[in-house]
Amino acid sequence: MQLTIVEYPDKRLKDKSKEIKTFDAKLHKLLDAMHPFMIETNGIGLAAIQVNYPIRALILNIPNEDGEQPPENLLEIINPVITAKSGETSYQEGCLSVPKFYEDVTRYEKITLHYQDRHGNTKILEADDLLAIAIQHEIDHLEGILFIDHLSYSRRKKFEKEYKKMLKERKQKK
């Protein structure tokens, strides 16, 4: 399965993802393709909508202390719902759909997540630190929200200017 990243300002990134009701081989094939693709593109999380599948599925593989992302750390999260949240933390986020741009974003420090696995089994996860931040970032994608949407008006305007310049330079190189 050939996957490509949908990049900002593509309007598909603003679409709300649909709930998954069928946990079949088609879903498994997509999840199986998303993981190596995410690793190849240096991501720690990937929402299905970022590879043009507007369904409520995401994967995460938070690196361990030595920077490795072992397959046993992979989380496949289907139809996620945050049921509790507390605290506040700020983290410099990046996004595969908004390449080469990083910005501090404030998120909840701890969350409780209800979701389903690839087989439709219900799961509960308590997350904090980078895992909680990454989950919130990826769930935002499912809602049609990018991390840049969390920026202040002035910072967003600065980003738009910088990003347009970067896209123009990229076009000129081709």
Side-chain angles (χ1 to χ4, degrees), residues 6-18 47-56 95 97-98 137-151 156 159-160:
V6 178
E7 286 188 17
Y8 179 84
D10 194 307
K11 301 248 183 290
R12 291 174 291 178
L13 292 169
K14 290 295 185 182
D15 292 343
K16 276 194 167 200
S17 296
K18 304 273 186 271
I49 195 164
Q50 290 180 273
V51 289
N52 201 28
Y53 287 83
I55 58 173
R56 295 189 69 78
C95 182
S97 292
V98 188
H137 177 107
E138 298 307 329
I139 289 175
D140 273 359
H141 277 298
L142 304 182
E143 298 298 327
I145 299 167
L146 297 172
F147 82 103
I148 55 174
D149 295 329
H150 291 280
L151 303 179
R156 179 68 188 262
F159 157 76
E160 295 287 351

Side-chain angles (χ1 to χ4, degrees), residues 14 16 21 36 58-59 66 76 90 97 110 120 124 126 129 146-148 150 154-155 164:
K14 290 295 185 182
K16 276 194 167 200
K21 294 183 168 86
L58 62 94
I59 62 170
D66 60 7
E76 296 174 332
S90 187
S97 292
K110 294 180 181 183
I124 299 174
E126 305 245 342
D129 301 323
L146 297 172
F147 82 103
I148 55 174
H150 291 280
S154 60
R155 188 62 193 109
K164 280 180 185 160

Side-chain angles (χ1 to χ4, degrees), residues 63-70:
N64 54 26
E65 295 80 41
D66 60 7
E68 295 296 311
Q69 291 173 282

